[in-house]
Amino acid sequence: MTAGMDTFRALLITRDETTKQQSVAITTLTPADLMPGDVDVRVEYSTVNYKDGLAITGKLPVVRRFPMIPGVDFAGTVTASTHAEWKPGDRVILNGWGVGEIHYGAYSEMARVSGDWLVPLPAGLTGSEAMAIGTAGYTAMLALIALEKHGVAPASGPVVVTGAAGGLGSMAVTLLSSRGYTVEAVTGRPHEAEYLRSLGAANIVDRGELNGQPKPLAKERWAGAIDTVGGNVLANVIASTQQFGTVAACGNAGGMELPTSVAPFILRGVTLAGIESVRAPKAARVEAWRRLAAELDRAKLAAMTTAIDFHAIPNAAHDIVAGKVRGRLVVTIS
Ligand code: NDP
């Protein structure tokens, strides 16, 4: 199976096995260089997520095979397929499945993947919008669905979002407020307060309020939470969750540890819901993307999105790991 391109450009991470130092460069590849898969896709748009930042900077061992083309999300058009579900011309999205970690990823004009990993681009969304949403938005929707499943409704009380000015956080604020929730946005960047209000946040909470040593229980403040940060912030959010509230744990931008106790769970019936987007089943993905296409305010999506080109990916990777990126990045790939 071959696609339409004889050669194409890709961002490649290589590693010196002696020094264990990795380097990143744009290179030219041929279809024969790609890893096995039953669908070829011309990649049109991608994005830079926190995880992509970790992969490119090497800050955490996201990449588990070298060399690697990073990039965990893409939108594009099928150019060749031996998979029953897909034919040339189909518009598709890919999020996760180890792409950009163990399988060649999105920062490449051509990708070869398993057709089982793809979902159709929902009607009403462009490829660029799909990548403005990306794994961040799709995960925020999985988190919102988890809160709903556990009975957190707009009438239950305010819902808090941590890491709110980041990609997943910005999407969570927007989606929750569009559903009628009162959203409180936790940020370490007070100068982004106006931006967060424009996405629908009713109240801004300084990250410093939640960074301290967690107590087992604190004053009940929130009916629900979408956390992207982990660490002390998540522990303090859990301690401040109302009786029978639910906290959706999505991320680790502030740390992997969780210094909490069983008190919120056995004395307040708090639920801690884990959100895992990478291997989420197809039905959950399709439902999340259907709801994103139906519910997401396009003007707010545009307001949180910055377009960058292929060459800007490495710098963006350093910026996102340093917590300097606001909202979402869209990369034009081809
Ligand atoms: P971003 O970098 O865009 O957002 C992270 C935000 O966290 C920052 O903008 C900042 O928000 C806040 N933050 C950064 N550093 C710290 C710190 N040291 N302490 C507390 N807060 C901090 O990343 P993404 O939105 O792409 O991803 C967010 C997290 O979600 C990551 O950990 C990522 O790995 C995870 N994730 C998990 C998925 C899953 O399947 N579970 C899927 C996608 C992402 P502010 O400046 O507003 O405080």
Side-chain angles (χ1 to χ4, degrees), residues 87-124:
K87 59 179 187 324
D90 287 344
R91 310 291 311 281
V92 291
I93 306 174
L94 185 141
N95 312 108
W97 291 116
V99 167
E101 302 178 55
I102 52 172
H103 189 95
Y104 279 0
Y107 302 149
S108 171
E109 289 170 319
M110 181 177 165
R112 179 171 295 146
V113 296
S114 165
D116 293 345
W117 300 341
L118 298 167
V119 294
L121 180 72

PDB file of all heavy atoms in Angstrom, residues 87-124:
ATOM      1  N   LYS A  87     -11.677   4.614   3.424  1.00  0.00           N
ATOM      2  CA  LYS A  87     -11.313   4.651   2.000  1.00  0.00           C
ATOM      3  C   LYS A  87     -10.671   6.002   1.695  1.00  0.00           C
ATOM      4  O   LYS A  87     -10.863   6.978   2.452  1.00  0.00           O
ATOM      5  CB  LYS A  87     -12.549   4.427   1.130  1.00  0.00           C
ATOM      6  CG  LYS A  87     -13.636   5.441   1.352  1.00  0.00           C
ATOM      7  CD  LYS A  87     -14.819   5.199   0.447  1.00  0.00           C
ATOM      8  CE  LYS A  87     -15.858   6.310   0.528  1.00  0.00           C
ATOM      9  NZ  LYS A  87     -16.095   6.933   1.813  1.00  0.00           N
ATOM     10  N   PRO A  88      -9.904   6.076   0.605  1.00  0.00           N
ATOM     11  CA  PRO A  88      -9.278   7.354   0.264  1.00  0.00           C
ATOM     12  C   PRO A  88     -10.317   8.482   0.212  1.00  0.00           C
ATOM     13  O   PRO A  88     -11.427   8.297  -0.285  1.00  0.00           O
ATOM     14  CB  PRO A  88      -8.655   7.089  -1.114  1.00  0.00           C
ATOM     15  CG  PRO A  88      -8.355   5.628  -1.090  1.00  0.00           C
ATOM     16  CD  PRO A  88      -9.491   5.005  -0.321  1.00  0.00           C
ATOM     17  N   GLY A  89      -9.911   9.618   0.744  1.00  0.00           N
ATOM     18  CA  GLY A  89     -10.807  10.784   0.768  1.00  0.00           C
ATOM     19  C   GLY A  89     -11.516  10.971   2.094  1.00  0.00           C
ATOM     20  O   GLY A  89     -12.044  12.056   2.371  1.00  0.00           O
ATOM     21  N   ASP A  90     -11.563   9.936   2.948  1.00  0.00           N
ATOM     22  CA  ASP A  90     -12.228  10.075   4.251  1.00  0.00           C
ATOM     23  C   ASP A  90     -11.450  11.060   5.126  1.00  0.00           C
ATOM     24  O   ASP A  90     -10.225  11.007   5.203  1.00  0.00           O
ATOM     25  CB  ASP A  90     -12.299   8.721   4.977  1.00  0.00           C
ATOM     26  CG  ASP A  90     -13.323   7.784   4.368  1.00  0.00           C
ATOM     27  OD1 ASP A  90     -14.180   8.248   3.591  1.00  0.00           O
ATOM     28  OD2 ASP A  90     -13.257   6.567   4.672  1.00  0.00           O
ATOM     29  N   ARG A  91     -12.189  11.926   5.808  1.00  0.00           N
ATOM     30  CA  ARG A  91     -11.571  12.887   6.735  1.00  0.00           C
ATOM     31  C   ARG A  91     -11.557  12.253   8.120  1.00  0.00           C
ATOM     32  O   ARG A  91     -12.600  11.792   8.605  1.00  0.00           O
ATOM     33  CB  ARG A  91     -12.374  14.197   6.780  1.00  0.00           C
ATOM     34  CG  ARG A  91     -12.701  14.807   5.415  1.00  0.00           C
ATOM     35  CD  ARG A  91     -11.482  15.342   4.689  1.00  0.00           C
ATOM     36  NE  ARG A  91     -10.634  16.189   5.499  1.00  0.00           N
ATOM     37  CZ  ARG A  91     -10.884  17.478   5.768  1.00  0.00           C
ATOM     38  NH1 ARG A  91     -11.965  18.066   5.284  1.00  0.00           N
ATOM     39  NH2 ARG A  91     -10.050  18.186   6.506  1.00  0.00           N
ATOM     40  N   VAL A  92     -10.404  12.225   8.750  1.00  0.00           N
ATOM     41  CA  VAL A  92     -10.246  11.463  10.000  1.00  0.00           C
ATOM     42  C   VAL A  92      -9.506  12.274  11.066  1.00  0.00           C
ATOM     43  O   VAL A  92      -8.796  13.246  10.764  1.00  0.00           O
ATOM     44  CB  VAL A  92      -9.473  10.142   9.748  1.00  0.00           C
ATOM     45  CG1 VAL A  92     -10.312   9.172   8.927  1.00  0.00           C
ATOM     46  CG2 VAL A  92      -8.130  10.405   9.079  1.00  0.00           C
ATOM     47  N   ILE A  93      -9.666  11.814  12.312  1.00  0.00           N
ATOM     48  CA  ILE A  93      -8.948  12.365  13.464  1.00  0.00           C
ATOM     49  C   ILE A  93      -8.276  11.197  14.176  1.00  0.00           C
ATOM     50  O   ILE A  93      -8.846  10.100  14.250  1.00  0.00           O
ATOM     51  CB  ILE A  93      -9.915  13.011  14.482  1.00  0.00           C
ATOM     52  CG1 ILE A  93     -10.815  14.050  13.845  1.00  0.00           C
ATOM     53  CG2 ILE A  93      -9.151  13.629  15.649  1.00  0.00           C
ATOM     54  CD1 ILE A  93     -11.874  14.578  14.812  1.00  0.00           C
ATOM     55  N   LEU A  94      -7.105  11.455  14.722  1.00  0.00           N
ATOM     56  CA  LEU A  94      -6.468  10.466  15.589  1.00  0.00           C
ATOM     57  C   LEU A  94      -6.033  11.148  16.889  1.00  0.00           C
ATOM     58  O   LEU A  94      -5.458  12.237  16.851  1.00  0.00           O
ATOM     59  CB  LEU A  94      -5.256   9.825  14.907  1.00  0.00           C
ATOM     60  CG  LEU A  94      -4.633   8.695  15.756  1.00  0.00           C
ATOM     61  CD1 LEU A  94      -4.185   7.539  14.881  1.00  0.00           C
ATOM     62  CD2 LEU A  94      -3.489   9.198  16.602  1.00  0.00           C
ATOM     63  N   ASN A  95      -6.335  10.524  18.006  1.00  0.00           N
ATOM     64  CA  ASN A  95      -5.882  10.993  19.322  1.00  0.00           C
ATOM     65  C   ASN A  95      -5.340   9.804  20.099  1.00  0.00           C
ATOM     66  O   ASN A  95      -6.088   8.892  20.436  1.00  0.00           O
ATOM     67  CB  ASN A  95      -7.039  11.565  20.168  1.00  0.00           C
ATOM     68  CG  ASN A  95      -7.921  12.533  19.432  1.00  0.00           C
ATOM     69  OD1 ASN A  95      -9.056  12.210  19.108  1.00  0.00           O
ATOM     70  ND2 ASN A  95      -7.422  13.713  19.181  1.00  0.00           N
ATOM     71  N   GLY A  96      -4.050   9.842  20.385  1.00  0.00           N
ATOM     72  CA  GLY A  96      -3.509   8.869  21.342  1.00  0.00           C
ATOM     73  C   GLY A  96      -3.118   7.542  20.734  1.00  0.00           C
ATOM     74  O   GLY A  96      -2.487   7.479  19.687  1.00  0.00           O
ATOM     75  N   TRP A  97      -3.445   6.454  21.421  1.00  0.00           N
ATOM     76  CA  TRP A  97      -3.109   5.078  21.029  1.00  0.00           C
ATOM     77  C   TRP A  97      -1.602   4.839  20.975  1.00  0.00           C
ATOM     78  O   TRP A  97      -1.141   3.925  20.277  1.00  0.00           O
ATOM     79  CB  TRP A  97      -3.731   4.702  19.669  1.00  0.00           C
ATOM     80  CG  TRP A  97      -5.219   4.563  19.695  1.00  0.00           C
ATOM     81  CD1 TRP A  97      -6.127   5.338  19.023  1.00  0.00           C
ATOM     82  CD2 TRP A  97      -5.989   3.600  20.425  1.00  0.00           C
ATOM     83  NE1 TRP A  97      -7.405   4.920  19.297  1.00  0.00           N
ATOM     84  CE2 TRP A  97      -7.347   3.858  20.150  1.00  0.00           C
ATOM     85  CE3 TRP A  97      -5.654   2.544  21.299  1.00  0.00           C
ATOM     86  CZ2 TRP A  97      -8.381   3.109  20.713  1.00  0.00           C
ATOM     87  CZ3 TRP A  97      -6.695   1.794  21.860  1.00  0.00           C
ATOM     88  CH2 TRP A  97      -8.029   2.087  21.555  1.00  0.00           C
ATOM     89  N   GLY A  98      -0.804   5.678  21.654  1.00  0.00           N
ATOM     90  CA  GLY A  98       0.650   5.496  21.626  1.00  0.00           C
ATOM     91  C   GLY A  98       1.308   6.135  20.415  1.00  0.00           C
ATOM     92  O   GLY A  98       2.530   6.046  20.244  1.00  0.00           O
ATOM     93  N   VAL A  99       0.498   6.784  19.562  1.00  0.00           N
ATOM     94  CA  VAL A  99       1.055   7.497  18.412  1.00  0.00           C
ATOM     95  C   VAL A  99       1.879   8.679  18.938  1.00  0.00           C
ATOM     96  O   VAL A  99       1.434   9.403  19.836  1.00  0.00           O
ATOM     97  CB  VAL A  99      -0.091   7.940  17.472  1.00  0.00           C
ATOM     98  CG1 VAL A  99       0.384   8.942  16.439  1.00  0.00           C
ATOM     99  CG2 VAL A  99      -0.690   6.705  16.808  1.00  0.00           C
ATOM    100  N   GLY A 100       3.089   8.834  18.427  1.00  0.00           N
ATOM    101  CA  GLY A 100       3.998   9.868  18.949  1.00  0.00           C
ATOM    102  C   GLY A 100       4.759   9.415  20.185  1.00  0.00           C
ATOM    103  O   GLY A 100       5.600  10.152  20.705  1.00  0.00           O
ATOM    104  N   GLU A 101       4.467   8.185  20.652  1.00  0.00           N
ATOM    105  CA  GLU A 101       5.172   7.616  21.815  1.00  0.00           C
ATOM    106  C   GLU A 101       5.907   6.329  21.415  1.00  0.00           C
ATOM    107  O   GLU A 101       7.102   6.195  21.619  1.00  0.00           O
ATOM    108  CB  GLU A 101       4.194   7.300  22.945  1.00  0.00           C
ATOM    109  CG  GLU A 101       3.394   8.508  23.417  1.00  0.00           C
ATOM    110  CD  GLU A 101       2.412   8.119  24.513  1.00  0.00           C
ATOM    111  OE1 GLU A 101       2.850   7.548  25.518  1.00  0.00           O
ATOM    112  OE2 GLU A 101       1.209   8.362  24.348  1.00  0.00           O
ATOM    113  N   ILE A 102       5.124   5.375  20.841  1.00  0.00           N
ATOM    114  CA  ILE A 102       5.740   4.121  20.384  1.00  0.00           C
ATOM    115  C   ILE A 102       5.481   3.879  18.894  1.00  0.00           C
ATOM    116  O   ILE A 102       6.059   2.968  18.311  1.00  0.00           O
ATOM    117  CB  ILE A 102       5.251   2.892  21.201  1.00  0.00           C
ATOM    118  CG1 ILE A 102       3.722   2.849  21.234  1.00  0.00           C
ATOM    119  CG2 ILE A 102       5.851   2.877  22.590  1.00  0.00           C
ATOM    120  CD1 ILE A 102       3.167   1.578  21.837  1.00  0.00           C
ATOM    121  N   HIS A 103       4.587   4.666  18.320  1.00  0.00           N
ATOM    122  CA  HIS A 103       4.293   4.542  16.881  1.00  0.00           C
ATOM    123  C   HIS A 103       4.481   5.926  16.269  1.00  0.00           C
ATOM    124  O   HIS A 103       4.072   6.919  16.874  1.00  0.00           O
ATOM    125  CB  HIS A 103       2.847   4.061  16.686  1.00  0.00           C
ATOM    126  CG  HIS A 103       2.521   3.706  15.269  1.00  0.00           C
ATOM    127  ND1 HIS A 103       2.598   2.426  14.788  1.00  0.00           N
ATOM    128  CD2 HIS A 103       2.138   4.482  14.219  1.00  0.00           C
ATOM    129  CE1 HIS A 103       2.268   2.418  13.497  1.00  0.00           C
ATOM    130  NE2 HIS A 103       1.990   3.664  13.135  1.00  0.00           N
ATOM    131  N   TYR A 104       5.068   5.996  15.063  1.00  0.00           N
ATOM    132  CA  TYR A 104       5.344   7.295  14.431  1.00  0.00           C
ATOM    133  C   TYR A 104       4.093   8.174  14.410  1.00  0.00           C
ATOM    134  O   TYR A 104       3.002   7.723  14.047  1.00  0.00           O
ATOM    135  CB  TYR A 104       5.855   7.090  12.998  1.00  0.00           C
ATOM    136  CG  TYR A 104       7.320   6.748  12.893  1.00  0.00           C
ATOM    137  CD1 TYR A 104       8.138   6.637  14.013  1.00  0.00           C
ATOM    138  CD2 TYR A 104       7.897   6.548  11.642  1.00  0.00           C
ATOM    139  CE1 TYR A 104       9.486   6.340  13.885  1.00  0.00           C
ATOM    140  CE2 TYR A 104       9.245   6.243  11.510  1.00  0.00           C
ATOM    141  CZ  TYR A 104      10.039   6.143  12.650  1.00  0.00           C
ATOM    142  OH  TYR A 104      11.362   5.848  12.517  1.00  0.00           O
ATOM    143  N   GLY A 105       4.301   9.449  14.762  1.00  0.00           N
ATOM    144  CA  GLY A 105       3.172  10.314  15.081  1.00  0.00           C
ATOM    145  C   GLY A 105       2.837  11.392  14.072  1.00  0.00           C
ATOM    146  O   GLY A 105       3.094  11.268  12.868  1.00  0.00           O
ATOM    147  N   ALA A 106       2.313  12.481  14.617  1.00  0.00           N
ATOM    148  CA  ALA A 106       1.572  13.468  13.830  1.00  0.00           C
ATOM    149  C   ALA A 106       2.433  14.521  13.155  1.00  0.00           C
ATOM    150  O   ALA A 106       1.964  15.167  12.220  1.00  0.00           O
ATOM    151  CB  ALA A 106       0.567  14.166  14.751  1.00  0.00           C
ATOM    152  N   TYR A 107       3.671  14.730  13.641  1.00  0.00           N
ATOM    153  CA  TYR A 107       4.458  15.819  13.064  1.00  0.00           C
ATOM    154  C   TYR A 107       5.168  15.313  11.808  1.00  0.00           C
ATOM    155  O   TYR A 107       6.397  15.243  11.715  1.00  0.00           O
ATOM    156  CB  TYR A 107       5.454  16.365  14.086  1.00  0.00           C
ATOM    157  CG  TYR A 107       4.808  16.878  15.347  1.00  0.00           C
ATOM    158  CD1 TYR A 107       5.456  16.811  16.579  1.00  0.00           C
ATOM    159  CD2 TYR A 107       3.532  17.441  15.317  1.00  0.00           C
ATOM    160  CE1 TYR A 107       4.858  17.283  17.735  1.00  0.00           C
ATOM    161  CE2 TYR A 107       2.912  17.905  16.476  1.00  0.00           C
ATOM    162  CZ  TYR A 107       3.589  17.816  17.675  1.00  0.00           C
ATOM    163  OH  TYR A 107       2.993  18.280  18.817  1.00  0.00           O
ATOM    164  N   SER A 108       4.367  14.970  10.820  1.00  0.00           N
ATOM    165  CA  SER A 108       4.817  14.336   9.591  1.00  0.00           C
ATOM    166  C   SER A 108       3.720  14.549   8.562  1.00  0.00           C
ATOM    167  O   SER A 108       2.534  14.404   8.878  1.00  0.00           O
ATOM    168  CB  SER A 108       5.008  12.837   9.864  1.00  0.00           C
ATOM    169  OG  SER A 108       5.242  12.136   8.687  1.00  0.00           O
ATOM    170  N   GLU A 109       4.127  14.868   7.340  1.00  0.00           N
ATOM    171  CA  GLU A 109       3.088  15.108   6.324  1.00  0.00           C
ATOM    172  C   GLU A 109       2.320  13.835   5.982  1.00  0.00           C
ATOM    173  O   GLU A 109       1.223  13.905   5.432  1.00  0.00           O
ATOM    174  CB  GLU A 109       3.732  15.705   5.066  1.00  0.00           C
ATOM    175  CG  GLU A 109       4.193  17.134   5.316  1.00  0.00           C
ATOM    176  CD  GLU A 109       5.054  17.684   4.198  1.00  0.00           C
ATOM    177  OE1 GLU A 109       5.925  16.950   3.672  1.00  0.00           O
ATOM    178  OE2 GLU A 109       4.860  18.862   3.841  1.00  0.00           O
ATOM    179  N   MET A 110       2.902  12.701   6.310  1.00  0.00           N
ATOM    180  CA  MET A 110       2.212  11.434   6.053  1.00  0.00           C
ATOM    181  C   MET A 110       2.305  10.541   7.286  1.00  0.00           C
ATOM    182  O   MET A 110       3.363  10.476   7.925  1.00  0.00           O
ATOM    183  CB  MET A 110       2.875  10.745   4.866  1.00  0.00           C
ATOM    184  CG  MET A 110       2.230   9.442   4.505  1.00  0.00           C
ATOM    185  SD  MET A 110       3.038   8.743   3.040  1.00  0.00           S
ATOM    186  CE  MET A 110       2.403   7.085   3.137  1.00  0.00           C
ATOM    187  N   ALA A 111       1.205   9.890   7.631  1.00  0.00           N
ATOM    188  CA  ALA A 111       1.197   8.955   8.755  1.00  0.00           C
ATOM    189  C   ALA A 111       0.620   7.627   8.280  1.00  0.00           C
ATOM    190  O   ALA A 111      -0.273   7.598   7.423  1.00  0.00           O
ATOM    191  CB  ALA A 111       0.351   9.509   9.892  1.00  0.00           C
ATOM    192  N   ARG A 112       1.132   6.550   8.843  1.00  0.00           N
ATOM    193  CA  ARG A 112       0.582   5.202   8.562  1.00  0.00           C
ATOM    194  C   ARG A 112       0.200   4.598   9.904  1.00  0.00           C
ATOM    195  O   ARG A 112       1.063   4.431  10.788  1.00  0.00           O
ATOM    196  CB  ARG A 112       1.611   4.335   7.848  1.00  0.00           C
ATOM    197  CG  ARG A 112       1.093   2.926   7.557  1.00  0.00           C
ATOM    198  CD  ARG A 112       2.036   2.155   6.655  1.00  0.00           C
ATOM    199  NE  ARG A 112       2.116   2.782   5.337  1.00  0.00           N
ATOM    200  CZ  ARG A 112       3.224   2.809   4.579  1.00  0.00           C
ATOM    201  NH1 ARG A 112       4.333   2.255   5.002  1.00  0.00           N
ATOM    202  NH2 ARG A 112       3.195   3.392   3.403  1.00  0.00           N
ATOM    203  N   VAL A 113      -1.085   4.321  10.078  1.00  0.00           N
ATOM    204  CA  VAL A 113      -1.593   3.901  11.395  1.00  0.00           C
ATOM    205  C   VAL A 113      -2.586   2.759  11.230  1.00  0.00           C
ATOM    206  O   VAL A 113      -2.998   2.429  10.115  1.00  0.00           O
ATOM    207  CB  VAL A 113      -2.292   5.090  12.108  1.00  0.00           C
ATOM    208  CG1 VAL A 113      -1.308   6.214  12.400  1.00  0.00           C
ATOM    209  CG2 VAL A 113      -3.477   5.606  11.302  1.00  0.00           C
ATOM    210  N   SER A 114      -3.017   2.206  12.362  1.00  0.00           N
ATOM    211  CA  SER A 114      -4.097   1.224  12.344  1.00  0.00           C
ATOM    212  C   SER A 114      -5.426   1.958  12.156  1.00  0.00           C
ATOM    213  O   SER A 114      -5.712   2.936  12.855  1.00  0.00           O
ATOM    214  CB  SER A 114      -4.126   0.465  13.675  1.00  0.00           C
ATOM    215  OG  SER A 114      -5.365  -0.217  13.788  1.00  0.00           O
ATOM    216  N   GLY A 115      -6.235   1.439  11.243  1.00  0.00           N
ATOM    217  CA  GLY A 115      -7.556   2.038  11.030  1.00  0.00           C
ATOM    218  C   GLY A 115      -8.429   1.985  12.277  1.00  0.00           C
ATOM    219  O   GLY A 115      -9.360   2.779  12.434  1.00  0.00           O
ATOM    220  N   ASP A 116      -8.114   1.058  13.193  1.00  0.00           N
ATOM    221  CA  ASP A 116      -8.905   0.945  14.426  1.00  0.00           C
ATOM    222  C   ASP A 116      -8.722   2.179  15.317  1.00  0.00           C
ATOM    223  O   ASP A 116      -9.511   2.411  16.228  1.00  0.00           O
ATOM    224  CB  ASP A 116      -8.473  -0.291  15.232  1.00  0.00           C
ATOM    225  CG  ASP A 116      -8.810  -1.586  14.521  1.00  0.00           C
ATOM    226  OD1 ASP A 116      -9.621  -1.547  13.562  1.00  0.00           O
ATOM    227  OD2 ASP A 116      -8.257  -2.631  14.907  1.00  0.00           O
ATOM    228  N   TRP A 117      -7.649   2.927  15.099  1.00  0.00           N
ATOM    229  CA  TRP A 117      -7.365   4.088  15.962  1.00  0.00           C
ATOM    230  C   TRP A 117      -8.080   5.362  15.499  1.00  0.00           C
ATOM    231  O   TRP A 117      -8.070   6.361  16.216  1.00  0.00           O
ATOM    232  CB  TRP A 117      -5.852   4.381  15.973  1.00  0.00           C
ATOM    233  CG  TRP A 117      -5.007   3.267  16.470  1.00  0.00           C
ATOM    234  CD1 TRP A 117      -5.407   2.201  17.229  1.00  0.00           C
ATOM    235  CD2 TRP A 117      -3.595   3.095  16.252  1.00  0.00           C
ATOM    236  NE1 TRP A 117      -4.331   1.379  17.488  1.00  0.00           N
ATOM    237  CE2 TRP A 117      -3.207   1.909  16.906  1.00  0.00           C
ATOM    238  CE3 TRP A 117      -2.629   3.836  15.572  1.00  0.00           C
ATOM    239  CZ2 TRP A 117      -1.889   1.442  16.900  1.00  0.00           C
ATOM    240  CZ3 TRP A 117      -1.320   3.377  15.560  1.00  0.00           C
ATOM    241  CH2 TRP A 117      -0.958   2.188  16.219  1.00  0.00           C
ATOM    242  N   LEU A 118      -8.613   5.327  14.284  1.00  0.00           N
ATOM    243  CA  LEU A 118      -9.150   6.569  13.703  1.00  0.00           C
ATOM    244  C   LEU A 118     -10.615   6.769  14.063  1.00  0.00           C
ATOM    245  O   LEU A 118     -11.367   5.804  14.223  1.00  0.00           O
ATOM    246  CB  LEU A 118      -9.013   6.515  12.175  1.00  0.00           C
ATOM    247  CG  LEU A 118      -7.577   6.428  11.652  1.00  0.00           C
ATOM    248  CD1 LEU A 118      -7.583   6.067  10.171  1.00  0.00           C
ATOM    249  CD2 LEU A 118      -6.835   7.745  11.894  1.00  0.00           C
ATOM    250  N   VAL A 119     -11.011   8.026  14.164  1.00  0.00           N
ATOM    251  CA  VAL A 119     -12.441   8.343  14.253  1.00  0.00           C
ATOM    252  C   VAL A 119     -12.748   9.313  13.110  1.00  0.00           C
ATOM    253  O   VAL A 119     -11.869  10.066  12.672  1.00  0.00           O
ATOM    254  CB  VAL A 119     -12.863   8.962  15.615  1.00  0.00           C
ATOM    255  CG1 VAL A 119     -12.710   7.975  16.748  1.00  0.00           C
ATOM    256  CG2 VAL A 119     -12.137  10.250  15.914  1.00  0.00           C
ATOM    257  N   PRO A 120     -14.007   9.300  12.640  1.00  0.00           N
ATOM    258  CA  PRO A 120     -14.332  10.223  11.544  1.00  0.00           C
ATOM    259  C   PRO A 120     -14.347  11.670  12.044  1.00  0.00           C
ATOM    260  O   PRO A 120     -14.771  11.928  13.180  1.00  0.00           O
ATOM    261  CB  PRO A 120     -15.729   9.782  11.103  1.00  0.00           C
ATOM    262  CG  PRO A 120     -16.272   8.946  12.204  1.00  0.00           C
ATOM    263  CD  PRO A 120     -15.134   8.431  13.020  1.00  0.00           C
ATOM    264  N   LEU A 121     -13.894  12.589  11.214  1.00  0.00           N
ATOM    265  CA  LEU A 121     -14.041  14.011  11.551  1.00  0.00           C
ATOM    266  C   LEU A 121     -15.543  14.300  11.596  1.00  0.00           C
ATOM    267  O   LEU A 121     -16.247  14.078  10.611  1.00  0.00           O
ATOM    268  CB  LEU A 121     -13.382  14.857  10.455  1.00  0.00           C
ATOM    269  CG  LEU A 121     -13.441  16.368  10.648  1.00  0.00           C
ATOM    270  CD1 LEU A 121     -12.513  16.810  11.774  1.00  0.00           C
ATOM    271  CD2 LEU A 121     -13.052  17.087   9.346  1.00  0.00           C
ATOM    272  N   PRO A 122     -16.056  14.765  12.758  1.00  0.00           N
ATOM    273  CA  PRO A 122     -17.504  14.967  12.832  1.00  0.00           C
ATOM    274  C   PRO A 122     -17.968  16.061  11.871  1.00  0.00           C
ATOM    275  O   PRO A 122     -17.237  17.027  11.625  1.00  0.00           O
ATOM    276  CB  PRO A 122     -17.749  15.409  14.285  1.00  0.00           C
ATOM    277  CG  PRO A 122     -16.478  15.203  15.010  1.00  0.00           C
ATOM    278  CD  PRO A 122     -15.372  15.137  14.004  1.00  0.00           C
ATOM    279  N   ALA A 123     -19.188  15.896  11.350  1.00  0.00           N
ATOM    280  CA  ALA A 123     -19.770  16.924  10.488  1.00  0.00           C
ATOM    281  C   ALA A 123     -19.796  18.239  11.257  1.00  0.00           C
ATOM    282  O   ALA A 123     -20.075  18.263  12.458  1.00  0.00           O
ATOM    283  CB  ALA A 123     -21.176  16.504  10.084  1.00  0.00           C
ATOM    284  N   GLY A 124     -19.482  19.311  10.575  1.00  0.00           N
ATOM    285  CA  GLY A 124     -19.543  20.628  11.230  1.00  0.00           C
ATOM    286  C   GLY A 124     -18.232  21.072  11.829  1.00  0.00           C
ATOM    287  O   GLY A 124     -18.141  22.179  12.366  1.00  0.00           O
TER     288      GLY A 124
END
